[in-house]
Amino acid sequence: MFIGREKELRALNSMYNSDKFEFTVIYGRRRVGKTALINRFTNDKKTIYFMGVESNGKHNLENFSRSIFEFLDEVSADTVFHSFQSALEYVFKKSENDRIILVIDEYPYVARADKSLASTLQMLIDRYKDTSKLMLILCGSSMSYMEDNVLAYKAPLYGRRTAQMKIMPFDFEESCQYLKNFSSEDKALLYGIAGGTPQYLLQVNDKLSVEENIKNMFLNPVSFLYEEPVNLLKQEVREPAIYTAIITAIASGASRMAEISAKVGENTNVCSIYLKNLINLGIVQKENPYGDDTSRKSIYCIEDNMFCFWYRFIPANTSMISRGAADLVYKRIEPYLSDYMGKIFEKICTQYLWKLLLEGRCPVEFSSAGHWWGNDPAAKCQTEIDIMAVQDKKTALFGECKWRNEKTDSEVLETLIRRSRLFPYKNIYYYLFSKSGFTEEVYKKSESMGNIFLISFEEIMREYS
């Protein structure tokens, strides 16, 4: 099942239709759907597809040669080029009169095995770019390798690419396409536990309830997702144990560097290096209070929903899960799901505001939106605002998100208004987001003030249906 990626497909097809040399770099985390996107794009086109393997140069060259000759059907499939340079030059020459796509998937495996590959590609691109109709696609899951050795200024291939695509997990609206047979609330819950990674969403069974899906996906020792976070870290990093300890510390409530360092048992300098790598992988996110990029109040949170759910609920229950006590473990998890969904709902609401902005339906034309926290001098305590977005020195948006089973009351609105006065903006718009709707008092207040927008979760879902 292939869903979404319309923007990426349009861009790839536009490059293909240029009928001149194109060089596209596609990268992103494992399971995010890079290969599926490439397969969709190349489905009806002349394509040499080669996937690198974690082996030596000889093995990869044999596989590359086989891919070329099977496509061209000219020479025995057992024939092997004597070098990557001769193989690539052969393809460049063949594409001088014919539009051919060459895909090198998992490029980092091949480049690590043959240290001269990047320089060879650089030389051949410079030689043939004006005469060749080749569309070259390099794809890789090792984010750091692709950024440092393909995209970076000092990399041999820098300046040769004509496009790059960082493939990201789906947002909530896109994820709903995978979850179309569920109720609105269940779609949010499943997005909260599986996130927007296509391979994880494909594990959801629409014939099962949310409870049954959680048991099947996470509380079953033989399931795909049961060991996925640990396995992914093993593939991406050299010391997965320390990375696991850091993610576990964050999942258990440690958000500041000093807290994480204390829980992990490593100094802050060491932890900062590992955290930077986790941020590059899209697993952890570093946050500052909105509008304060130089703040010492930075916190760390788990960005990927599936990792967040897994590290919060699975490690503490592995002994019970291994003994087949899925029902008992779910009973331990279920009371905390509503609290867990609070942050997920903030993500969903922020994405909704971006949708309004891009469609010209938001009264505040912001360039960024985020969470704010800081000191309230009047109350003499720390306080926070779920969503804040600024247009200019006069205009701003403040939002509050409530994932509760009861209607949101006027106290929530009054609190948001009071907190907004910590800032000097004159033109202020308030957005209240609620899972269960609003009380009559809130509706009356909204009508009288005129700058309050009340958005129920069902209203968000109507936009996405």
Side-chain angles (χ1 to χ4, degrees):
M1 178 171 64
F2 184 89
I3 289 174
R5 307 298 187 200
E6 287 88 359
K7 181 175 66 175
E8 291 86 350
L9 286 170
R10 281 197 301 272
L12 289 169
N13 278 307
S14 176
M15 286 181 273
Y16 179 81
N17 291 331
S18 74
D19 211 34
K20 63 181 181 181
F21 175 76
E22 300 281 0
F23 171 24
T24 304
V25 178
I26 298 177
Y27 68 113
R29 247 182 52 199
R30 297 179 191 278
R31 327 291 195 208
V32 81
K34 303 181 298 298
T35 300
L37 169 65
I38 291 170
N39 288 341
R40 185 75 167 192
F41 164 63
T42 60
N43 183 47
D44 56 349
K45 302 173 180 68
K46 293 182 178 180
T47 304
I48 301 170
Y49 178 85
F50 162 59
M51 177 174 282
V53 294
E54 202 167 6
S55 184
N56 59 23
K58 180 176 180 295
H59 188 191
N60 275 301
L61 180 58
E62 289 172 354
N63 291 341
F64 187 35
S65 302
R66 189 176 299 112
S67 298
I68 294 171
F69 292 131
E70 284 179 352
F71 165 75
L72 296 172
D73 197 26
E74 293 181 356
V75 190
S76 168
D78 294 329
T79 305
V80 178
F81 288 97
H82 68 269
S83 68
F84 273 104
Q85 179 173 335
S86 61
L88 288 164
E89 191 156 18
Y90 185 83
V91 175
F92 269 96
K93 288 180 178 178
K94 281 292 181 184
S95 62
E96 286 183 321
N97 298 312
D98 198 8
R99 188 54 152 172
I100 297 174
I101 302 171
L102 171 61
V103 178
I104 303 180
D105 204 346
E106 294 300 352
Y107 170 77
Y109 288 155
V110 191
R112 286 190 183 112
D114 190 309
K115 303 299 183 183
S116 64
L117 180 58
S119 297
T120 298
L121 275 169
Q122 174 193 357
M123 176 194 68
L124 293 174
I125 290 170
D126 291 345
R127 182 184 299 172
Y128 290 101
K129 62 183 173 60
D130 295 327
T131 59
S132 174
K133 295 182 179 181
L134 181 69
M135 182 172 181
L136 172 64
I137 298 176
L138 299 188
C139 180
S141 298
S142 177
M143 305 265 280
S144 58
Y145 188 94
M146 297 298 287
E147 290 173 347
D148 295 342
N149 296 282
V150 180
L151 300 173
Y153 178 75
K154 293 182 179 180
L157 291 171
Y158 180 80
R160 273 74 184 176
R161 70 183 185 275
T162 54
Q164 67 283 320
M165 294 182 180
K166 185 176 183 179
I167 308 302
M168 302 296 290
F170 290 132
D171 62 16
F172 178 58
E173 180 179 10
E174 294 167 315
S175 299
C176 284
Q177 297 180 57
Y178 283 87
L179 307 169
K180 59 184 179 181
N181 294 326
F182 290 92
S183 68
S184 295
E185 183 175 341
D186 286 352
K187 286 175 182 176
L189 286 166
L190 289 165
Y191 174 68
I193 67 172
T197 300
Q199 192 61 43
Y200 303 157
L201 287 166
L202 288 172
Q203 307 306 309
V204 177
N205 187 337
D206 61 10
K207 294 181 173 59
L208 302 178
S209 65
V210 171
E211 176 182 343
E212 290 168 328
N213 268 294
I214 290 175
K215 292 176 182 177
N216 189 51
M217 293 162 61
F218 294 96
L219 310 184
N220 178 1
V222 301
S223 68
F224 169 75
L225 290 178
Y226 179 65
E227 295 182 340
E228 169 65 6
V230 176
N231 289 337
L232 189 144
L233 286 174
K234 287 178 180 177
Q235 293 174 333
E236 294 287 351
V237 300
R238 293 180 180 177
E239 299 174 285
I242 298 179
Y243 286 96
T244 296
I246 289 173
I247 302 172
T248 301
I250 298 172
S252 63
S255 59
R256 301 186 185 277
M257 178 66 78
E259 297 170 342
I260 296 168
S261 175
K263 283 206 170 189
V264 173
E266 297 283 353
N267 66 52
T268 55
N269 290 332
V270 171
C271 286
S272 66
I273 294 171
Y274 289 103
L275 281 165
K276 182 180 178 181
N277 292 335
L278 288 170
I279 290 168
N280 290 336
L281 287 171
I283 296 172
V284 168
Q285 180 181 22
K286 181 180 180 180
E287 280 191 275
N288 290 324
Y290 181 83
D292 188 359
D293 293 335
T294 60
S295 175
R296 294 184 179 180
K297 300 175 183 176
S298 298
I299 62 172
Y300 296 87
C301 58
I302 301 176
E303 183 175 9
D304 184 274
N305 293 356
M306 192 279 288
F307 271 75
C308 188
F309 181 87
W310 194 96
Y311 277 96
R312 178 162 178 178
F313 296 114
I314 304 308
N317 292 294
T318 51
S319 295
M320 296 177 68
I321 294 170
S322 65
R323 287 169 171 77
D327 292 341
L328 187 57
V329 174
Y330 182 79
K331 286 181 181 179
R332 297 176 67 174
I333 294 174
E334 197 273 336
Y336 299 98
L337 282 178
S338 183
D339 175 66
Y340 170 81
M341 282 298 297
K343 288 295 181 183
I344 303 298
F345 190 46
E346 285 182 27
K347 284 186 182 181
I348 292 171
C349 297
T350 303
Q351 292 170 14
Y352 177 78
L353 285 174
W354 276 105
K355 178 181 175 65
L356 294 183
L357 175 73
L358 296 174
E359 294 176 356
R361 295 190 288 142
C362 185
V364 177
E365 296 181 355
F366 56 88
S367 57
S368 64
H371 184 65
W372 179 89
W373 62 95
N375 186 49
D376 184 342
K380 296 181 180 180
C381 66
Q382 290 290 303
T383 190
E384 59 183 316
I385 298 170
D386 289 345
I387 303 173
M388 184 174 170
V390 174
Q391 176 175 311
D392 51 41
K393 293 181 179 179
K394 295 182 178 180
T395 307
L397 176 156
F398 296 90
E400 187 73 14
C401 313
K402 294 299 179 185
W403 185 265
R404 298 175 177 172
N405 290 327
E406 64 268 11
K407 292 183 177 181
T408 297
D409 58 28
S410 59
E411 183 180 349
V412 174
L413 177 57
E414 294 295 342
T415 300
L416 180 61
I417 292 172
R418 186 173 64 253
R419 291 173 181 173
S420 73
R421 292 176 182 147
L422 294 170
F423 301 87
Y425 303 105
K426 294 181 180 179
N427 303 321
I428 296 177
Y429 296 86
Y430 299 102
Y431 273 79
L432 280 190
F433 297 91
S434 175
K435 170 190 173 185
S436 305
F438 308 91
T439 63
E440 282 300 319
E441 192 175 355
V442 174
Y443 280 115
K444 290 178 182 178
K445 184 79 172 179
S446 172
E447 290 175 5
S448 65
M449 289 185 63
N451 61 340
I452 299 172
F453 295 83
L454 306 178
I455 312 294
S456 68
F457 178 56
E458 281 303 326
E459 185 173 339
I460 294 176
M461 295 309 299
R462 283 196 293 271
E463 291 273 355
Y464 295 162
S465 61

